[in-house]
PDB file of all heavy atoms in Angstrom:
ATOM      1  N   SER E   1      -5.725  74.209 -54.301  1.00  0.00           N
ATOM      2  CA  SER E   1      -4.864  73.639 -55.411  1.00  0.00           C
ATOM      3  C   SER E   1      -3.524  74.333 -55.401  1.00  0.00           C
ATOM      4  O   SER E   1      -3.474  75.521 -55.234  1.00  0.00           O
ATOM      5  CB  SER E   1      -5.529  73.777 -56.745  1.00  0.00           C
ATOM      6  OG  SER E   1      -6.823  73.104 -56.783  1.00  0.00           O
ATOM      7  N   SER E   2      -2.478  73.595 -55.648  1.00  0.00           N
ATOM      8  CA  SER E   2      -1.111  74.082 -55.574  1.00  0.00           C
ATOM      9  C   SER E   2      -0.689  74.694 -56.892  1.00  0.00           C
ATOM     10  O   SER E   2      -1.256  74.311 -58.001  1.00  0.00           O
ATOM     11  CB  SER E   2      -0.187  73.090 -55.116  1.00  0.00           C
ATOM     12  OG  SER E   2      -0.026  72.027 -56.113  1.00  0.00           O
ATOM     13  N   GLU E   3       0.318  75.545 -56.899  1.00  0.00           N
ATOM     14  CA  GLU E   3       0.953  76.057 -58.129  1.00  0.00           C
ATOM     15  C   GLU E   3       2.388  75.569 -58.146  1.00  0.00           C
ATOM     16  O   GLU E   3       2.983  75.248 -57.125  1.00  0.00           O
ATOM     17  CB  GLU E   3       0.967  77.594 -58.041  1.00  0.00           C
ATOM     18  CG  GLU E   3      -0.492  78.201 -57.993  1.00  0.00           C
ATOM     19  CD  GLU E   3      -0.452  79.730 -57.940  1.00  0.00           C
ATOM     20  OE1 GLU E   3       0.515  80.344 -58.458  1.00  0.00           O
ATOM     21  OE2 GLU E   3      -1.422  80.283 -57.390  1.00  0.00           O
ATOM     22  N   LEU E   4       2.945  75.551 -59.343  1.00  0.00           N
ATOM     23  CA  LEU E   4       4.304  74.956 -59.527  1.00  0.00           C
ATOM     24  C   LEU E   4       5.249  76.033 -60.040  1.00  0.00           C
ATOM     25  O   LEU E   4       4.871  76.830 -60.987  1.00  0.00           O
ATOM     26  CB  LEU E   4       4.215  73.778 -60.507  1.00  0.00           C
ATOM     27  CG  LEU E   4       5.539  73.164 -60.960  1.00  0.00           C
ATOM     28  CD1 LEU E   4       6.217  72.439 -59.806  1.00  0.00           C
ATOM     29  CD2 LEU E   4       5.321  72.199 -62.119  1.00  0.00           C
ATOM     30  N   THR E   5       6.438  76.054 -59.539  1.00  0.00           N
ATOM     31  CA  THR E   5       7.513  76.871 -60.069  1.00  0.00           C
ATOM     32  C   THR E   5       8.753  75.999 -60.266  1.00  0.00           C
ATOM     33  O   THR E   5       9.019  75.089 -59.406  1.00  0.00           O
ATOM     34  CB  THR E   5       7.862  78.135 -59.207  1.00  0.00           C
ATOM     35  OG1 THR E   5       8.866  78.812 -59.801  1.00  0.00           O
ATOM     36  CG2 THR E   5       8.231  77.691 -57.841  1.00  0.00           C
ATOM     37  N   GLU E   6       9.534  76.219 -61.325  1.00  0.00           N
ATOM     38  CA  GLU E   6      10.685  75.329 -61.649  1.00  0.00           C
ATOM     39  C   GLU E   6      11.961  76.186 -61.878  1.00  0.00           C
ATOM     40  O   GLU E   6      11.813  77.297 -62.482  1.00  0.00           O
ATOM     41  CB  GLU E   6      10.416  74.437 -62.842  1.00  0.00           C
ATOM     42  CG  GLU E   6       9.200  73.525 -62.671  1.00  0.00           C
ATOM     43  CD  GLU E   6       8.974  72.621 -63.844  1.00  0.00           C
ATOM     44  OE1 GLU E   6       9.662  71.609 -63.931  1.00  0.00           O
ATOM     45  OE2 GLU E   6       8.105  72.941 -64.660  1.00  0.00           O
ATOM     46  N   THR E   7      13.057  75.673 -61.491  1.00  0.00           N
ATOM     47  CA  THR E   7      14.371  76.374 -61.636  1.00  0.00           C
ATOM     48  C   THR E   7      15.472  75.406 -61.954  1.00  0.00           C
ATOM     49  O   THR E   7      15.707  74.460 -61.175  1.00  0.00           O
ATOM     50  CB  THR E   7      14.753  77.123 -60.324  1.00  0.00           C
ATOM     51  OG1 THR E   7      13.691  78.003 -59.945  1.00  0.00           O
ATOM     52  CG2 THR E   7      16.014  77.934 -60.539  1.00  0.00           C
ATOM     53  N   PRO E   8      16.124  75.535 -63.138  1.00  0.00           N
ATOM     54  CA  PRO E   8      17.308  74.670 -63.374  1.00  0.00           C
ATOM     55  C   PRO E   8      18.499  75.113 -62.555  1.00  0.00           C
ATOM     56  O   PRO E   8      18.681  76.342 -62.301  1.00  0.00           O
ATOM     57  CB  PRO E   8      17.505  74.860 -64.864  1.00  0.00           C
ATOM     58  CG  PRO E   8      16.927  76.181 -65.177  1.00  0.00           C
ATOM     59  CD  PRO E   8      15.806  76.416 -64.209  1.00  0.00           C
ATOM     60  N   ILE E   9      19.341  74.191 -62.181  1.00  0.00           N
ATOM     61  CA  ILE E   9      20.554  74.494 -61.421  1.00  0.00           C
ATOM     62  C   ILE E   9      21.716  74.132 -62.294  1.00  0.00           C
ATOM     63  O   ILE E   9      21.965  72.896 -62.550  1.00  0.00           O
ATOM     64  CB  ILE E   9      20.603  73.732 -60.116  1.00  0.00           C
ATOM     65  CG1 ILE E   9      19.362  74.066 -59.247  1.00  0.00           C
ATOM     66  CG2 ILE E   9      21.919  74.056 -59.318  1.00  0.00           C
ATOM     67  CD1 ILE E   9      19.193  73.195 -58.018  1.00  0.00           C
ATOM     68  N   ARG E  10      22.491  75.121 -62.762  1.00  0.00           N
ATOM     69  CA  ARG E  10      23.497  74.863 -63.779  1.00  0.00           C
ATOM     70  C   ARG E  10      24.854  74.884 -63.203  1.00  0.00           C
ATOM     71  O   ARG E  10      25.185  75.558 -62.228  1.00  0.00           O
ATOM     72  CB  ARG E  10      23.376  75.919 -64.849  1.00  0.00           C
ATOM     73  CG  ARG E  10      21.971  75.927 -65.570  1.00  0.00           C
ATOM     74  CD  ARG E  10      21.928  76.939 -66.685  1.00  0.00           C
ATOM     75  NE  ARG E  10      22.941  76.726 -67.746  1.00  0.00           N
ATOM     76  CZ  ARG E  10      22.850  75.789 -68.669  1.00  0.00           C
ATOM     77  NH1 ARG E  10      21.796  75.047 -68.805  1.00  0.00           N
ATOM     78  NH2 ARG E  10      23.829  75.644 -69.568  1.00  0.00           N
ATOM     79  N   ARG E  11      25.721  74.106 -63.878  1.00  0.00           N
ATOM     80  CA  ARG E  11      27.069  73.891 -63.390  1.00  0.00           C
ATOM     81  C   ARG E  11      27.862  75.146 -63.322  1.00  0.00           C
ATOM     82  O   ARG E  11      28.714  75.344 -62.414  1.00  0.00           O
ATOM     83  CB  ARG E  11      27.769  72.841 -64.241  1.00  0.00           C
ATOM     84  CG  ARG E  11      29.102  72.346 -63.798  1.00  0.00           C
ATOM     85  CD  ARG E  11      29.611  71.187 -64.592  1.00  0.00           C
ATOM     86  NE  ARG E  11      30.743  70.555 -63.949  1.00  0.00           N
ATOM     87  CZ  ARG E  11      31.236  69.375 -64.337  1.00  0.00           C
ATOM     88  NH1 ARG E  11      30.599  68.690 -65.269  1.00  0.00           N
ATOM     89  NH2 ARG E  11      32.250  68.830 -63.699  1.00  0.00           N
ATOM     90  N   GLU E  12      27.683  76.059 -64.223  1.00  0.00           N
ATOM     91  CA  GLU E  12      28.512  77.269 -64.297  1.00  0.00           C
ATOM     92  C   GLU E  12      28.203  78.228 -63.123  1.00  0.00           C
ATOM     93  O   GLU E  12      28.941  79.244 -62.955  1.00  0.00           O
ATOM     94  CB  GLU E  12      28.288  78.040 -65.650  1.00  0.00           C
ATOM     95  CG  GLU E  12      26.893  78.457 -65.897  1.00  0.00           C
ATOM     96  CD  GLU E  12      26.222  77.497 -66.828  1.00  0.00           C
ATOM     97  OE1 GLU E  12      26.535  76.354 -66.888  1.00  0.00           O
ATOM     98  OE2 GLU E  12      25.262  77.977 -67.623  1.00  0.00           O
ATOM     99  N   ALA E  13      27.158  77.927 -62.316  1.00  0.00           N
ATOM    100  CA  ALA E  13      26.934  78.754 -61.128  1.00  0.00           C
ATOM    101  C   ALA E  13      27.920  78.505 -59.987  1.00  0.00           C
ATOM    102  O   ALA E  13      27.931  79.204 -58.999  1.00  0.00           O
ATOM    103  CB  ALA E  13      25.512  78.468 -60.658  1.00  0.00           C
ATOM    104  N   MET E  14      28.794  77.468 -60.153  1.00  0.00           N
ATOM    105  CA  MET E  14      29.781  77.150 -59.139  1.00  0.00           C
ATOM    106  C   MET E  14      30.746  78.302 -58.923  1.00  0.00           C
ATOM    107  O   MET E  14      31.242  78.907 -59.889  1.00  0.00           O
ATOM    108  CB  MET E  14      30.565  75.907 -59.552  1.00  0.00           C
ATOM    109  CG  MET E  14      31.598  75.465 -58.559  1.00  0.00           C
ATOM    110  SD  MET E  14      30.892  74.454 -57.249  1.00  0.00           S
ATOM    111  CE  MET E  14      30.432  73.017 -58.206  1.00  0.00           C
ATOM    112  N   ARG E  15      31.084  78.630 -57.667  1.00  0.00           N
ATOM    113  CA  ARG E  15      32.014  79.620 -57.294  1.00  0.00           C
ATOM    114  C   ARG E  15      32.912  79.059 -56.177  1.00  0.00           C
ATOM    115  O   ARG E  15      32.480  78.238 -55.374  1.00  0.00           O
ATOM    116  CB  ARG E  15      31.300  80.864 -56.686  1.00  0.00           C
ATOM    117  CG  ARG E  15      30.381  81.631 -57.721  1.00  0.00           C
ATOM    118  CD  ARG E  15      31.197  82.322 -58.780  1.00  0.00           C
ATOM    119  NE  ARG E  15      30.322  83.081 -59.701  1.00  0.00           N
ATOM    120  CZ  ARG E  15      29.761  82.592 -60.790  1.00  0.00           C
ATOM    121  NH1 ARG E  15      29.977  81.275 -61.063  1.00  0.00           N
ATOM    122  NH2 ARG E  15      28.988  83.268 -61.582  1.00  0.00           N
ATOM    123  N   PRO E  16      34.145  79.487 -56.100  1.00  0.00           N
ATOM    124  CA  PRO E  16      34.986  79.167 -54.948  1.00  0.00           C
ATOM    125  C   PRO E  16      34.300  79.721 -53.620  1.00  0.00           C
ATOM    126  O   PRO E  16      33.590  80.703 -53.708  1.00  0.00           O
ATOM    127  CB  PRO E  16      36.311  79.897 -55.202  1.00  0.00           C
ATOM    128  CG  PRO E  16      36.358  80.071 -56.636  1.00  0.00           C
ATOM    129  CD  PRO E  16      34.893  80.332 -57.079  1.00  0.00           C
ATOM    130  N   LEU E  17      34.446  79.054 -52.531  1.00  0.00           N
ATOM    131  CA  LEU E  17      33.794  79.392 -51.349  1.00  0.00           C
ATOM    132  C   LEU E  17      34.090  80.832 -50.920  1.00  0.00           C
ATOM    133  O   LEU E  17      33.211  81.626 -50.512  1.00  0.00           O
ATOM    134  CB  LEU E  17      34.171  78.472 -50.231  1.00  0.00           C
ATOM    135  CG  LEU E  17      33.372  78.668 -48.907  1.00  0.00           C
ATOM    136  CD1 LEU E  17      31.876  78.577 -49.097  1.00  0.00           C
ATOM    137  CD2 LEU E  17      33.838  77.714 -47.808  1.00  0.00           C
ATOM    138  N   ASP E  18      35.335  81.256 -51.115  1.00  0.00           N
ATOM    139  CA  ASP E  18      35.718  82.640 -50.659  1.00  0.00           C
ATOM    140  C   ASP E  18      35.130  83.656 -51.600  1.00  0.00           C
ATOM    141  O   ASP E  18      35.220  84.891 -51.243  1.00  0.00           O
ATOM    142  CB  ASP E  18      37.226  82.742 -50.553  1.00  0.00           C
ATOM    143  CG  ASP E  18      37.964  82.471 -51.895  1.00  0.00           C
ATOM    144  OD1 ASP E  18      37.285  82.189 -52.890  1.00  0.00           O
ATOM    145  OD2 ASP E  18      39.215  82.601 -51.839  1.00  0.00           O
ATOM    146  N   GLN E  19      34.593  83.273 -52.729  1.00  0.00           N
ATOM    147  CA  GLN E  19      33.891  84.190 -53.671  1.00  0.00           C
ATOM    148  C   GLN E  19      32.386  84.104 -53.590  1.00  0.00           C
ATOM    149  O   GLN E  19      31.708  84.883 -54.265  1.00  0.00           O
ATOM    150  CB  GLN E  19      34.397  83.958 -55.085  1.00  0.00           C
ATOM    151  CG  GLN E  19      35.856  84.233 -55.355  1.00  0.00           C
ATOM    152  CD  GLN E  19      36.285  83.955 -56.770  1.00  0.00           C
ATOM    153  OE1 GLN E  19      35.484  83.941 -57.703  1.00  0.00           O
ATOM    154  NE2 GLN E  19      37.577  83.719 -56.966  1.00  0.00           N
ATOM    155  N   ALA E  20      31.909  83.188 -52.770  1.00  0.00           N
ATOM    156  CA  ALA E  20      30.457  83.087 -52.563  1.00  0.00           C
ATOM    157  C   ALA E  20      29.995  84.251 -51.734  1.00  0.00           C
ATOM    158  O   ALA E  20      30.800  84.899 -51.037  1.00  0.00           O
ATOM    159  CB  ALA E  20      30.133  81.769 -51.892  1.00  0.00           C
ATOM    160  N   ASP E  21      28.725  84.585 -51.802  1.00  0.00           N
ATOM    161  CA  ASP E  21      28.236  85.740 -51.040  1.00  0.00           C
ATOM    162  C   ASP E  21      28.267  85.430 -49.501  1.00  0.00           C
ATOM    163  O   ASP E  21      28.331  84.259 -49.065  1.00  0.00           O
ATOM    164  CB  ASP E  21      26.840  86.113 -51.495  1.00  0.00           C
ATOM    165  CG  ASP E  21      25.825  85.004 -51.329  1.00  0.00           C
ATOM    166  OD1 ASP E  21      25.546  84.578 -50.217  1.00  0.00           O
ATOM    167  OD2 ASP E  21      25.290  84.598 -52.347  1.00  0.00           O
ATOM    168  N   ALA E  22      28.183  86.463 -48.727  1.00  0.00           N
ATOM    169  CA  ALA E  22      28.281  86.326 -47.261  1.00  0.00           C
ATOM    170  C   ALA E  22      27.153  85.454 -46.737  1.00  0.00           C
ATOM    171  O   ALA E  22      27.333  84.735 -45.735  1.00  0.00           O
ATOM    172  CB  ALA E  22      28.298  87.690 -46.599  1.00  0.00           C
ATOM    173  N   GLU E  23      25.969  85.487 -47.334  1.00  0.00           N
ATOM    174  CA  GLU E  23      24.862  84.726 -46.856  1.00  0.00           C
ATOM    175  C   GLU E  23      25.115  83.256 -46.988  1.00  0.00           C
ATOM    176  O   GLU E  23      24.884  82.439 -46.131  1.00  0.00           O
ATOM    177  CB  GLU E  23      23.587  85.096 -47.657  1.00  0.00           C
ATOM    178  CG  GLU E  23      23.357  86.589 -47.799  1.00  0.00           C
ATOM    179  CD  GLU E  23      23.373  87.345 -46.483  1.00  0.00           C
ATOM    180  OE1 GLU E  23      22.447  87.136 -45.675  1.00  0.00           O
ATOM    181  OE2 GLU E  23      24.329  88.123 -46.274  1.00  0.00           O
ATOM    182  N   PHE E  24      25.727  82.852 -48.139  1.00  0.00           N
ATOM    183  CA  PHE E  24      26.114  81.459 -48.415  1.00  0.00           C
ATOM    184  C   PHE E  24      27.127  81.031 -47.375  1.00  0.00           C
ATOM    185  O   PHE E  24      27.008  79.939 -46.683  1.00  0.00           O
ATOM    186  CB  PHE E  24      26.671  81.301 -49.846  1.00  0.00           C
ATOM    187  CG  PHE E  24      26.856  79.852 -50.251  1.00  0.00           C
ATOM    188  CD1 PHE E  24      26.116  79.322 -51.299  1.00  0.00           C
ATOM    189  CD2 PHE E  24      27.855  79.089 -49.662  1.00  0.00           C
ATOM    190  CE1 PHE E  24      26.286  78.039 -51.716  1.00  0.00           C
ATOM    191  CE2 PHE E  24      28.024  77.749 -50.033  1.00  0.00           C
ATOM    192  CZ  PHE E  24      27.235  77.251 -51.084  1.00  0.00           C
ATOM    193  N   ARG E  25      28.204  81.811 -47.177  1.00  0.00           N
ATOM    194  CA  ARG E  25      29.289  81.439 -46.284  1.00  0.00           C
ATOM    195  C   ARG E  25      28.776  81.334 -44.808  1.00  0.00           C
ATOM    196  O   ARG E  25      29.156  80.419 -44.093  1.00  0.00           O
ATOM    197  CB  ARG E  25      30.422  82.402 -46.370  1.00  0.00           C
ATOM    198  CG  ARG E  25      31.078  82.476 -47.759  1.00  0.00           C
ATOM    199  CD  ARG E  25      32.448  83.149 -47.686  1.00  0.00           C
ATOM    200  NE  ARG E  25      32.409  84.449 -47.015  1.00  0.00           N
ATOM    201  CZ  ARG E  25      32.130  85.577 -47.643  1.00  0.00           C
ATOM    202  NH1 ARG E  25      31.834  85.608 -48.949  1.00  0.00           N
ATOM    203  NH2 ARG E  25      32.151  86.769 -46.918  1.00  0.00           N
ATOM    204  N   PHE E  26      27.928  82.283 -44.414  1.00  0.00           N
ATOM    205  CA  PHE E  26      27.446  82.212 -43.046  1.00  0.00           C
ATOM    206  C   PHE E  26      26.537  81.024 -42.757  1.00  0.00           C
ATOM    207  O   PHE E  26      26.659  80.304 -41.774  1.00  0.00           O
ATOM    208  CB  PHE E  26      26.679  83.499 -42.624  1.00  0.00           C
ATOM    209  CG  PHE E  26      26.317  83.514 -41.201  1.00  0.00           C
ATOM    210  CD1 PHE E  26      27.278  83.929 -40.202  1.00  0.00           C
ATOM    211  CD2 PHE E  26      25.060  83.182 -40.781  1.00  0.00           C
ATOM    212  CE1 PHE E  26      26.973  84.002 -38.901  1.00  0.00           C
ATOM    213  CE2 PHE E  26      24.744  83.199 -39.433  1.00  0.00           C
ATOM    214  CZ  PHE E  26      25.698  83.593 -38.510  1.00  0.00           C
ATOM    215  N   ALA E  27      25.620  80.733 -43.756  1.00  0.00           N
ATOM    216  CA  ALA E  27      24.755  79.544 -43.640  1.00  0.00           C
ATOM    217  C   ALA E  27      25.587  78.320 -43.567  1.00  0.00           C
ATOM    218  O   ALA E  27      25.256  77.368 -42.807  1.00  0.00           O
ATOM    219  CB  ALA E  27      23.743  79.501 -44.768  1.00  0.00           C
ATOM    220  N   THR E  28      26.646  78.210 -44.328  1.00  0.00           N
ATOM    221  CA  THR E  28      27.532  77.104 -44.350  1.00  0.00           C
ATOM    222  C   THR E  28      28.198  76.929 -43.011  1.00  0.00           C
ATOM    223  O   THR E  28      28.330  75.836 -42.479  1.00  0.00           O
ATOM    224  CB  THR E  28      28.618  77.248 -45.429  1.00  0.00           C
ATOM    225  OG1 THR E  28      27.918  77.277 -46.736  1.00  0.00           O
ATOM    226  CG2 THR E  28      29.559  76.103 -45.445  1.00  0.00           C
ATOM    227  N   ALA E  29      28.665  78.042 -42.405  1.00  0.00           N
ATOM    228  CA  ALA E  29      29.253  78.007 -41.096  1.00  0.00           C
ATOM    229  C   ALA E  29      28.278  77.415 -40.025  1.00  0.00           C
ATOM    230  O   ALA E  29      28.684  76.575 -39.231  1.00  0.00           O
ATOM    231  CB  ALA E  29      29.795  79.359 -40.677  1.00  0.00           C
ATOM    232  N   VAL E  30      27.078  77.875 -40.067  1.00  0.00           N
ATOM    233  CA  VAL E  30      26.049  77.431 -39.075  1.00  0.00           C
ATOM    234  C   VAL E  30      25.721  75.932 -39.343  1.00  0.00           C
ATOM    235  O   VAL E  30      25.622  75.182 -38.385  1.00  0.00           O
ATOM    236  CB  VAL E  30      24.777  78.263 -39.200  1.00  0.00           C
ATOM    237  CG1 VAL E  30      23.703  77.763 -38.241  1.00  0.00           C
ATOM    238  CG2 VAL E  30      25.105  79.719 -38.888  1.00  0.00           C
ATOM    239  N   ALA E  31      25.667  75.595 -40.607  1.00  0.00           N
ATOM    240  CA  ALA E  31      25.440  74.189 -40.983  1.00  0.00           C
ATOM    241  C   ALA E  31      26.477  73.232 -40.443  1.00  0.00           C
ATOM    242  O   ALA E  31      26.297  72.183 -39.883  1.00  0.00           O
ATOM    243  CB  ALA E  31      25.241  73.980 -42.458  1.00  0.00           C
ATOM    244  N   GLY E  32      27.760  73.709 -40.621  1.00  0.00           N
ATOM    245  CA  GLY E  32      28.864  72.899 -40.086  1.00  0.00           C
ATOM    246  C   GLY E  32      28.881  72.820 -38.566  1.00  0.00           C
ATOM    247  O   GLY E  32      29.159  71.802 -37.926  1.00  0.00           O
TER     248      GLY E  32
END
């Protein structure tokens, strides 16, 4: 039987790309 976890994603979490963490920017580079 599975378990459930939930997380809201809120608008104020938005950051300019140059202020995002290195992990976000690198994953974005690889995705592109």
Side-chain angles (χ1 to χ4, degrees):
S1 298
S2 65
E3 301 179 28
L4 174 68
T5 180
E6 300 183 80
T7 305
I9 301 169
R10 299 182 60 80
R11 188 171 193 166
E12 59 261 29
M14 180 83 68
R15 297 287 183 273
L17 185 59
D18 60 1
Q19 295 180 22
D21 59 64
E23 314 307 291
F24 189 114
R25 298 196 308 274
F26 187 81
T28 297
V30 178

